Amino acid sequence: MAVSREQILEAADQIAAEGQRPTLDAVRKITGGSYSTISPVLNEWKAQQKTNTTPIQEPAPDTINDRLAAVGGRSVGCSYGAVKQQPMTNKFSLFNLCSMAVAASVFLGSSMAMSSATAADDGIKELKKVLEGQIALMKPELQKKVKGLSMDTKMSLMTILAMHSRYSERVTMRQVMTEVLADFQSVMAGIMTDNPEMTVDSARRLANHRIPVGGLLPYLGMENISDERLATLVGFNDSVEGNSLKLAEAAEKGDMGTAAEMVGKISVGCVACHSVFRGQPGVSDLLR
């Protein structure tokens, strides 16, 4: 039996009400039917949400707006409703900015005032808790170097961390990178077998890879905890996580050609990051 337009719209509403993102795969699990039938109706639903939803915004902290004035000259508000309207690939998304404000108070030890909406948001509270836990795990010498970083560097680091929702209390950086490699290989398998669902799921896992215990900084080496070295992370993040999200979006639309084009950009970002922060793995210091 063919799925109806009303069934697709109801499924999208149901998924959104549960706090999840209505995707082709998620809707299809409820309604059945083909992607070609679901896709145009789901795109219609998404367009209607953008038209109907006007988020309630509250002023962001002055520190964040000052930073925005320097990089883009725009002001934002900090509320959960506003956060949900931001595109996932926007590096300076509202969620990131609000999160950076919270994180700055952790790193700087300041009493930065937060908007009531942001302070009450469970997601922001959780991020603050995670960051405080990461700082607590660092040895005093690393804590000192981190606190000595510039505000720009701290905000860039918070932008990267805020894009992730999976924080481990046990897994190391090497184990996380093994997961990333597996997800990358799964993306390739999905593309080569023309499997958009596999491709989308794998790419989104890659973009939202786990953050290792203690965060990223303890694994980069003390020699790399500087404004100059850490400034490169933003570009690497855009190349890997950012292009992974673009790949997922293309595959979800059935555009596997564009998805395939993103693979090269992701791999370039991986190799560049490794050249700065890792080097060749498995090298022994006992060889001449």
Side-chain angles (χ1 to χ4, degrees):
M1 183 176 178
V3 61
S4 69
R5 176 178 177 277
E6 287 71 25
Q7 288 175 312
I8 295 170
L9 294 175
E10 287 177 5
D13 286 336
Q14 176 186 330
I15 295 166
E18 294 171 353
Q20 303 298 317
R21 183 171 180 266
T23 63
L24 285 171
D25 186 38
V27 171
R28 187 168 181 263
K29 286 180 180 178
I30 297 174
T31 64
S34 66
Y35 287 109
S36 60
T37 300
I38 297 171
S39 182
V41 181
L42 184 57
N43 288 337
E44 175 189 336
W45 180 90
K46 291 177 179 178
Q48 191 63 41
Q49 297 306 302
K50 292 180 180 179
T51 301
N52 291 342
T53 306
T54 302
I56 300 172
Q57 296 190 355
E58 297 187 16
D62 289 341
T63 304
I64 302 302
N65 279 326
D66 289 345
R67 172 60 178 155
L68 279 173
V71 299
R74 62 187 179 91
S75 180
V76 299
C78 287
S79 73
Y80 181 69
V83 168
K84 291 185 71 175
Q85 302 307 306
Q86 299 299 312
M88 292 181 67
T89 53
N90 183 357
K91 182 173 68 175
F92 288 104
S93 72
L94 181 55
F95 176 77
N96 297 337
L97 292 166
C98 294
S99 301
M100 285 190 289
V102 175
S105 69
V106 176
F107 273 142
L108 298 175
S110 68
S111 57
M112 183 182 294
M114 298 300 298
S115 71
S116 59
T118 302
D121 185 84
D122 290 339
I124 302 298
K125 285 183 178 180
E126 183 62 25
L127 178 62
K128 185 174 186 293
K129 180 180 177 181
V130 169
L131 291 168
E132 289 172 339
Q134 290 180 359
I135 295 293
L137 288 175
M138 295 179 183
K139 289 187 176 181
E141 55 267 34
L142 178 56
Q143 289 184 1
K144 183 177 180 180
K145 291 204 73 171
V146 169
K147 290 181 179 179
L149 295 170
S150 70
M151 186 61 177
D152 278 356
T153 298
K154 290 171 183 174
M155 291 181 72
S156 295
L157 291 171
M158 293 313 102
T159 301
I160 293 171
L161 288 178
M163 290 179 177
H164 296 263
S165 61
R166 298 192 294 161
Y167 297 87
S168 177
E169 296 181 357
R170 294 183 298 175
V171 174
T172 67
M173 176 69 93
R174 181 169 293 185
Q175 290 170 315
V176 168
M177 289 297 101
T178 301
E179 291 183 20
V180 169
L181 176 59
D183 287 333
F184 182 78
Q185 291 170 332
S186 184
V187 166
M188 290 296 298
I191 291 173
M192 296 305 292
T193 58
D194 198 22
N195 185 336
E197 295 177 46
M198 180 181 186
T199 304
V200 170
D201 290 346
S202 301
R204 289 205 170 116
R205 279 199 311 270
L206 195 162
N208 187 30
H209 66 71
R210 235 179 288 276
I211 298 297
V213 58
L216 300 174
L217 299 184
Y219 302 92
L220 302 184
M222 290 289 284
E223 70 278 7
N224 289 318
I225 309 302
S226 66
D227 290 329
E228 181 180 5
R229 280 301 182 96
L230 294 178
T232 62
L233 279 177
V234 174
F236 297 151
N237 187 75
D238 288 347
S239 293
V240 180
E241 283 91 334
N243 283 320
S244 293
L245 289 174
K246 292 178 181 177
L247 189 156
E249 290 174 359
E252 190 170 44
K253 295 175 183 176
D255 186 358
M256 301 304 282
T258 298
E261 291 176 4
M262 294 294 108
V263 170
K265 295 180 180 180
I266 294 170
S267 61
V268 167
C270 290
V271 171
C273 187
H274 295 164
S275 69
V276 174
F277 294 108
R278 189 196 70 182
Q280 183 177 356
V283 174
S284 172
D285 58 4
L286 299 179
L287 291 174
R288 294 182 178 180

